[in-house]
Amino acid sequence: MTAATHSTLFSQGPSGSSAPASPSGADEVLEGLDPEQREVATALHGPVCVLAGAGTGKTRAITHRIAYGVRAGILQPSSVLAVTFTNRAAGEMRGRLRQLGAHGVQARTFHSAALRQLQYFWPKAIGGSMPRLVDRKIQLVADAAAACRIRLDRGELRDVTAEIEWSKVTQTVPADYPLAAARAGREAPRAPAEIAQLYSAYEDLKRERAVIDFEDVLLLTVAILQDRHDIAEQVRAQYQHFVVDEYQDVSPLQQRLLELWLGDRDNLCVVGDASQTIYSFTGATPDHLLDFRARHPGATVVKLVRDYRSTPQIVHLANGLLAQARGRAADHRLELVSQRPPGPEPVYTEYPDEPAEAEGAARRIRELVDAGVPAGEIAVLFRTNSQSETYEQALADAGVPYQLRGAERFFDRPEVRKAGIALRGAARFGGNDSLLDDAVDLPSQVRAVLSGEGWTPRPPAGSGAVRERWESLAALVNLAQDFAAARPGATLADLVAELDERANAQHAPTVQGVTLASLHSAKGLEWDVVFLVGVAEGMMPITYAKTDEQIEEERRLLYVGVTRARERLHISWALARSPGGRPGPRPSRFLDGLRPGTAATGGRGAAGGTAGVERGSAGGPAGTAPRRTRRTPARCRVCGRTLTDAGEMKLMRCEDCPSDMDEGLYERLREWRAVQARRSGQPDWCVFTDKTLIAIAETAPEDERELVRIPGVGMRKFNRYGADVLAICAGRGGDGLDEES
């Protein structure tokens, strides 16, 4: 298993050491790059957008870009900030930059960079000591639930926590959650009004305990940079060149932070692939990537489509998947071109049931390992973590070591441990348990016991931890059915012994083993051989994917899975969950027209995926991007002097020029703002800053057009507060103000 495509560019170090030597100069940094990667590396000025398909060497391109700029003396190392989304990716970037001789460049996650700035500027901007940062917010959510007298099980706690995180990165306050969740089509784990209540209580608890969470790190940094022009300028003086990796995954909050770091400059390079957007449930959106050229008309756009990772056969399948896609991301898909020698065709296998599918995969993996393929270069990828148990057991039975990535071992999961305790108790004292009175055989006994742990005959609606918990319990129910079929007359005690034996076997050390991982946790990784399992309707796409957008994200998830494979790809599905079960699922619709003997479900024309460079136009022929319009200097509306201070630009006058502010209106606006802040659980300045309120009180806008034009308002805040503000300006009060007065 490796983290990214990487080929050695430079000769070995002294004494034949495997560590490559750093390039001797700037020109050597460019050696070994393909033409498009070289374009990325040498495009050091102005906005640059790199559209990089899977396996095309995007990390290589951007690290060489930074290194070339540093080694050529164009970029000062301390002035460059490269941001990405995981500590692993940031660490890998730092390592590559050191290897290329670009020492001193900051490569961090968004949160790490923001936390560093927040810690440094807190005494100056806020005063005193910064609140303690909580690593895990789930206990706070549990305390908030207790304060609200709402009972949440472990799964619901995790799901409500995820909803709070989504709300914060999309800048949704508690009062707005129900409407925002409905608009986003989110499957809430509880009633939206309850989640809004829990979210509000959670924010109250944080304030009482003087703690902040990871989303607050971004929110507070944004707030300081918005309201403290001097601090923003200090940050901008430090960092003058920005590189953002995985740009398709930025949230609205991260985008806002990036804009504040940039100010009115455009030395920004973003890298991403809309076809690998698979985290929309966390607030990520590819819109910022897709809109980059519109926001920066003069941008240079480079497309990387030479795939160095996968064979032509695998790349052909990946391109075919996207050729049938719909939606905005599909309109910008890249047509990959493999740079590797031909390999075997992908293998498609249909099995009668899921245990047979797992045994078949384990058997093939055993053959590969015996033939010399390292176990660490093989992966089994599935849609949900609940599928892992069957493959854990099949690999253990085949004597193949494995390692789980991004998930707890099946028998370590809290719901499985708790279910095991309940089954063990029933095996010992079942004669006195009324739950088992009507249970006539082992499977019905297990169903009866697990019904007390949350198992139901039908799966719960929606996704998240509640669904995963149910899937884990359902796996135990299915295991009991299989065990009873294999050993007629087996008792509950026999099943418990079997479960204990399986759990003990799976705790054996597995240092170099086959990787078992969900498709989401496989992002950014690659293996020589990949087994994509459970590729059937109901699992791929997942049952609860209902809307067109959700279906398309499922297609992209399968695309990510396919593009993890370098040389061999095995795709399989089962027609039933258990042996002898009624056939149900059909192969995934995403494979129609791609696997032998099937017809396409309606494809699309080839994408604009040709490798190449599009440079920002200064006014070329029709259809090309226009030059970005120059901003008209802001001038004081009293004396006419050009304004440069952010606070003065908000007021549209010099600080010491006379003000015609309506003092009474200003006080009413301040009272209304205090009410809104208490409602949303935010500081006053998160509603509107003092400068913005002064500007409103001086302008006394009469309609939407006048209000939106005031710096610090904009459409987002107008949509939330505009009606109230206009009502107050018209002397009618406002809903929030009336409620408190």
Side-chain angles (χ1 to χ4, degrees):
M1 175 181 71
T2 55
T5 305
H6 179 61
S7 58
T8 303
L9 286 182
F10 310 111
S11 58
Q12 290 186 334
S15 307
S17 64
S18 59
S22 294
S24 59
D27 289 341
E28 194 174 341
V29 172
L30 301 178
E31 290 182 11
L33 299 181
D34 68 32
E36 294 76 40
Q37 291 172 341
R38 184 179 284 251
E39 285 286 349
V40 175
T42 55
L44 295 172
H45 300 289
V48 178
C49 179
V50 184
L51 302 176
T56 57
K58 67 178 178 63
T59 306
R60 176 186 176 91
I62 58 176
T63 51
H64 282 69
R65 177 184 189 270
I66 296 169
Y68 176 72
V70 169
R71 300 297 295 271
I74 299 170
L75 303 180
Q76 290 298 316
S78 60
S79 74
V80 180
L81 178 59
V83 288
T84 187
F85 283 82
T86 66
N87 289 320
R88 177 188 57 76
E92 180 191 352
M93 195 178 291
R94 286 193 295 270
R96 291 199 189 195
L97 289 169
R98 282 195 298 271
Q99 178 185 316
L100 292 167
H103 302 278
V105 174
Q106 292 291 318
R108 297 179 174 275
T109 65
F110 270 101
H111 282 88
S112 172
L115 179 59
R116 194 163 178 258
Q117 293 174 18
L118 189 63
Q119 289 170 330
Y120 183 81
F121 290 113
W122 186 276
K124 179 178 180 180
I126 310 297
S129 301
M130 195 181 95
R132 181 174 60 87
L133 178 64
V134 291
D135 292 331
R136 297 178 70 251
K137 57 174 68 70
I138 199 162
Q139 185 56 54
L140 270 172
V141 176
D143 293 345
C148 296
R149 300 183 183 278
I150 297 175
R151 293 192 61 182
L152 300 176
D153 63 28
R154 186 183 178 89
E156 288 174 318
L157 269 175
R158 205 167 80 189
D159 287 345
V160 169
T161 301
E163 289 304 292
I164 291 174
E165 290 173 349
W166 172 82
S167 299
K168 298 185 79 164
V169 300
T170 56
Q171 301 176 80
T172 302
V173 297
D176 293 344
Y177 172 81
L179 180 59
R183 283 177 175 168
R186 294 186 73 80
E187 290 276 0
R190 301 284 293 229
E194 277 191 327
I195 293 180
Q197 182 186 3
L198 289 165
Y199 179 13
S200 181
Y202 168 81
E203 293 296 318
D204 289 341
L205 273 179
K206 285 202 291 96
R207 279 192 299 276
E208 289 173 13
R209 299 179 184 181
V211 297
I212 59 174
D213 60 28
F214 276 101
E215 289 71 41
D216 291 329
V217 170
L218 299 183
L219 284 164
L220 289 165
T221 306
V222 163
I224 288 173
L225 295 178
Q226 279 182 163
D227 287 356
R228 288 293 300 266
H229 177 69
D230 55 332
I231 291 176
E233 286 306 312
Q234 192 173 341
V235 171
R236 291 167 194 158
Q238 169 71 52
Y239 297 116
Q240 287 143 32
H241 302 271
F242 297 85
V243 177
V244 184
D245 194 12
E246 302 287 4
Y247 192 55
Q248 77 278 354
D249 288 334
V250 296
S251 69
L253 182 57
Q254 289 164 333
Q255 174 64 22
R256 181 61 186 137
L257 178 59
L258 178 62
E259 290 167 354
L260 289 165
W261 282 340
L262 271 169
D264 58 1
R265 302 164 302 170
D266 59 7
N267 281 326
L268 170 66
C269 175
V270 301
V271 191
D273 179 10
S275 296
Q276 296 188 68
T277 305
I278 58 173
Y279 298 109
S280 67
F281 59 91
T282 67
T285 171
D287 289 347
H288 306 300
L289 175 67
L290 299 179
D291 292 339
F292 190 85
R293 190 67 178 271
R295 294 197 313 276
H296 302 277
T300 297
V301 178
V302 185
K303 295 179 180 178
L304 303 183
V305 299
R306 302 174 198 253
D307 188 321
Y308 298 95
R309 176 186 298 160
S310 305
T311 63
Q313 288 76 11
I314 293 170
V315 167
H316 178 72
L317 173 58
N319 287 336
L321 276 172
L322 293 187
Q324 300 180 20
R326 297 286 188 274
R328 193 168 181 229
D331 292 338
H332 294 78
R333 68 193 181 282
L334 300 167
E335 191 87 7
L336 299 177
V337 181
S338 176
Q339 307 297 299
R340 298 199 50 185
E345 291 289 339
V347 177
Y348 300 88
T349 310
E350 183 173 279
Y351 292 94
D353 52 64
E354 289 181 6
E357 183 181 10
E359 290 166 9
R363 185 168 57 251
R364 290 189 174 185
I365 291 170
R366 178 77 266 175
E367 292 168 358
L368 288 168
V369 172
D370 290 344
V373 178
E377 289 298 343
I378 304 173
V380 178
L381 306 182
F382 33 74
R383 177 60 181 84
T384 68
N385 288 327
S386 62
Q387 294 171 270
S388 73
E389 192 275 336
T390 307
Y391 292 89
E392 293 174 51
Q393 187 60 49
L395 289 172
D397 290 345
V400 176
Y402 66 87
Q403 54 186 332
L404 272 174
R405 177 178 179 83
E408 297 167 293
R409 292 177 181 274
F410 181 80
F411 288 102
D412 285 348
R413 295 173 191 166
E415 63 270 22
V416 175
R417 284 177 175 270
K418 195 174 176 186
I421 293 170
L423 290 170
R424 188 172 291 106
R428 290 179 180 173
F429 310 111
N432 299 322
D433 193 339
S434 59
L435 272 177
L436 303 181
D437 287 349
D438 298 325
V440 296
D441 56 15
L442 177 59
S444 60
Q445 288 176 332
V446 171
R447 287 193 294 269
V449 173
L450 297 188
S451 65
E453 301 300 319
W455 179 83
T456 56
R458 292 181 179 276
S463 59
V466 172
R467 176 67 180 237
E468 288 182 12
R469 182 172 181 270
W470 182 90
E471 293 279 5
S472 295
L473 297 177
L476 290 175
V477 170
N478 292 331
L479 191 150
Q481 293 171 341
D482 297 342
F483 186 70
R487 291 180 55 180
T491 66
L492 201 52
D494 295 330
L495 176 65
V496 168
E498 171 74 8
L499 292 176
D500 288 342
E501 187 176 328
R502 290 183 178 222
N504 290 333
Q506 289 171 199
H507 279 97
T510 55
V511 178
Q512 175 59 251
V514 173
T515 299
L516 295 177
S518 70
L519 287 164
H520 281 102
S521 63
K523 177 79 166 61
L525 303 175
E526 58 187 63
W527 297 267
D528 285 345
V529 187
V530 169
F531 287 76
L532 290 176
V533 299
V535 188
E537 288 292 306
M539 194 60 75
M540 180 60 67
I542 199 78
T543 307
Y544 48 77
K546 304 293 186 186
T547 66
D548 290 344
E549 291 83 0
Q550 290 168 339
I551 295 294
E552 288 305 320
E553 182 147 338
E554 292 288 300
R555 189 193 306 273
R556 294 194 296 270
L557 192 56
L558 182 58
Y559 171 80
V560 166
V562 167
T563 55
R564 299 310 95 195
R566 296 192 194 102
E567 298 171 5
R568 302 183 191 181
L569 179 64
H570 296 258
I571 299 176
S572 63
W573 58 90
L575 297 178
R577 291 202 63 167
S578 56
R582 185 173 63 184
R586 60 177 287 268
S588 170
R589 71 190 79 170
F590 300 147
L591 300 178
D592 291 347
L594 301 176
R595 62 188 178 91
T598 61
T601 55
R604 300 163 65 93
T610 306
V613 184
E614 300 171 18
R615 302 195 187 282
S617 171
T624 61
R627 180 190 294 272
R628 194 191 319 187
T629 55
R630 289 179 62 86
R631 292 180 178 175
T632 303
R635 298 187 183 279
C636 174
R637 54 191 168 86
V638 179
C639 70
R641 183 177 67 84
T642 300
L643 302 175
T644 57
D645 179 78
E648 292 182 341
M649 290 169 70
K650 261 188 181 179
L651 295 175
M652 290 306 292
R653 64 171 175 81
C654 304
E655 282 279 6
D656 52 1
C657 278
S659 168
D660 54 357
M661 181 179 71
D662 181 332
E663 296 286 350
L665 174 57
Y666 178 65
E667 288 306 317
R668 291 196 298 276
L669 288 168
R670 280 173 54 86
E671 291 172 19
W672 166 83
R673 181 181 65 174
V675 173
Q676 294 297 324
R678 283 195 292 274
R679 276 185 180 177
S680 62
Q682 295 181 325
D684 289 358
W685 38 260
C686 285
V687 180
F688 285 121
T689 63
D690 286 346
K691 288 282 173 61
T692 300
L693 288 190
I694 292 171
I696 293 171
E698 289 183 344
T699 307
E702 296 180 353
D703 55 30
E704 171 186 344
R705 181 180 57 82
E706 292 182 0
L707 178 57
V708 170
R709 286 174 56 188
I710 295 173
V713 179
M715 285 306 301
R716 184 176 68 84
K717 288 200 174 182
F718 175 82
N719 290 334
R720 181 176 298 168
Y721 304 123
D724 273 5
V725 172
L726 289 174
I728 294 169
C729 291
R732 297 194 302 271
D735 290 344
L737 186 56
D738 291 343
E739 182 177 304
E740 289 283 311
S741 57

